[in-house]
């Protein structure tokens, strides 16, 4: 039996109670990915990580696996948070490129082709929600976070909170993850010398449900500041050795 072809891309999406969004999200993803030229030569996969959903999302995800051969599902035994969701998805993903996004349909799968061309020359390509459809608290906290983060870490990316990103596999294999650190993917990648790029993407109001991973402005700023010190420490302490070529 010949080995199955390697995936050209894995789309990793943590899910927490997104019952009404899952089917339309999957339909859009499949339509977009099937239309890409990469798919003609290599398959792709959609890896959902069920982060302890209690609204029926778990059962629907299992149905989607039966309907779409490209869909895989990982079920947590309880809620562990978004960073754990990304980490588990990364560990099960087999693609040469890793695409991440949320499951709330505020980001458009149709924007994935906007990021892919830059993935040929950059290790991490980030979506930038220039025109955000969020409440005032989220907008203010994001602007403050960018101001502080860019000055402390030198991270040039405007919108690290945008989950629509394209990683080369080398990035996820090199960068360690800890709780809450998914908000600092660009800074962490930059620490290890990976190249970054940013592309404006669409952002839509949430049509169904409520945010499960959002924080109030106080908690958001406190947690981000706390994690920022950890990133700053890692910038000075990480190992950057290279082997001499023969």
């Amino acid at each position: 039996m010949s080995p199955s072809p390697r995936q050209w891309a894995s789309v990793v999406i943590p899910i927490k109670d997104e019952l009404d969004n899952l089917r339309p999200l999957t339909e859009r993803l499949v339509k977009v990915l099937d239309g890409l030229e990469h798919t003609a030569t290599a398959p792709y996969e959609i890896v959902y990580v069920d982060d302890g959903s209690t609204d029926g999302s778990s059962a629907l995800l299992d149905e989607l696996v039966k309907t779409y051969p490209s869909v895989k599902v990982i079920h947590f035994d309880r809620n562990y948070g978004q960073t754990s969701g990304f980490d588990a998805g990364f560990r099960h993903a087999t693609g040469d490129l890793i695409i991440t996004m949320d499951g709330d349909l505020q980001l458009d799968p149709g924007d994935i082709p906007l990021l892919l061309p830059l993935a040929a020359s950059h290790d991490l390509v980030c979506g930038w929600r220039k025109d955000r459809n969020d409440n005032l608290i989220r907008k203010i906290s994001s602007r403050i976070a960018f101001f502080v983060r860019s000055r402390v870490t030198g991270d040039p990316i405007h919108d690290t909170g945008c989950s629509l990103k394209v990683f080369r596999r080398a990035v996820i294999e090199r960068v360690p993850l800890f709780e809450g650190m998914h908000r600092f993917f660009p800074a962490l990648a930059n620490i290890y010398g990976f190249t970054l790029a940013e592309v404006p993407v669409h952002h839509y109001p949430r049509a169904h449900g409520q945010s499960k991973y959002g924080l109030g402005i106080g908690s958001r700023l406190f947690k981000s500041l706390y994690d920022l010190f950890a990133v700053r420490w890692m910038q000075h302490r990480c190992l950057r050795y290279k082997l001499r070529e023969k």
Side-chain angles (χ1 to χ4, degrees):
M1 181 181 296
S2 60
S4 58
R6 185 175 180 85
Q7 316 289 337
W8 74 264
S10 300
V11 184
V12 174
I13 309 176
I15 294 295
K16 178 67 172 75
D17 295 340
E18 296 288 0
L19 179 63
D20 294 326
N21 293 317
L22 283 173
R23 194 174 295 278
L25 172 60
T26 305
E27 291 172 354
R28 293 184 195 181
L29 274 170
V30 169
K31 182 178 180 179
V32 169
L33 296 171
D34 280 348
L36 296 175
E37 62 180 359
H38 304 76
T39 306
T41 56
Y44 64 86
E45 63 182 0
I46 301 170
V47 182
Y48 286 119
V49 182
D50 174 24
D51 187 17
S53 295
T54 58
D55 68 338
S57 292
S58 300
L60 178 54
L61 286 169
D62 289 336
E63 290 182 21
L64 293 174
V65 170
K66 299 175 182 177
T67 305
Y68 299 95
S70 58
V71 173
K72 298 180 179 179
V73 177
I74 304 163
H75 293 285
F76 285 167
D77 61 351
R78 62 175 177 84
N79 174 237
Y80 288 96
Q82 198 170 15
T83 309
S84 293
F86 281 127
D87 187 71
F90 291 165
R91 292 175 182 274
H92 286 78
T94 62
D96 292 320
L97 294 178
I98 312 297
I99 303 168
T100 61
M101 64 185 306
D102 290 332
D104 55 14
L105 279 178
Q106 287 193 263
L107 294 167
D108 186 358
D111 284 338
I112 291 175
L114 300 178
L115 278 66
L116 289 177
L118 281 172
S121 55
H122 296 79
D123 300 306
L124 171 55
V125 185
C126 305
W128 176 12
R129 300 165 295 181
K130 291 186 70 173
D131 300 315
R132 295 188 61 167
N133 278 285
D134 279 330
N135 58 45
L136 184 61
I137 290 178
R138 281 178 174 266
K139 290 180 179 179
I140 292 175
S141 61
S142 294
R143 290 176 182 175
I144 295 174
F146 169 69
F147 178 82
V148 175
R149 186 188 67 252
S150 61
R151 280 153 181 77
V152 173
T153 68
D155 173 10
I157 300 300
H158 290 84
D159 186 10
T160 61
C162 179
S163 65
L164 183 53
K165 295 180 173 70
V166 178
F167 300 76
R168 288 189 184 182
R169 170 162 287 278
V171 179
I172 67 167
E173 291 177 347
R174 186 71 178 90
V175 173
L177 277 184
F178 300 91
E179 182 62 40
M181 285 296 175
H182 67 276
R183 293 188 293 269
F184 295 92
F185 274 137
L188 294 172
N190 196 38
I191 287 175
Y192 291 97
F194 292 111
T195 54
L196 310 175
E198 191 171 39
V199 178
V201 296
H202 297 92
H203 190 238
Y204 300 99
R206 176 183 268 274
H208 305 287
Q210 297 179 341
S211 174
K212 316 306 184 303
Y213 293 122
L215 299 168
I217 187 169
S219 297
R220 180 184 293 270
L221 291 177
F222 177 78
K223 287 181 176 293
S224 295
L225 184 62
Y226 185 79
D227 293 338
L228 191 60
F229 287 119
V231 173
R232 184 61 173 168
W233 180 87
M234 291 174 66
Q235 285 182 314
H236 291 283
R237 297 290 187 174
C238 78
L239 303 176
R240 299 183 178 89
Y241 59 82
K242 295 182 180 179
L243 299 182
R244 186 177 63 189
E245 295 183 2
K246 293 183 179 179

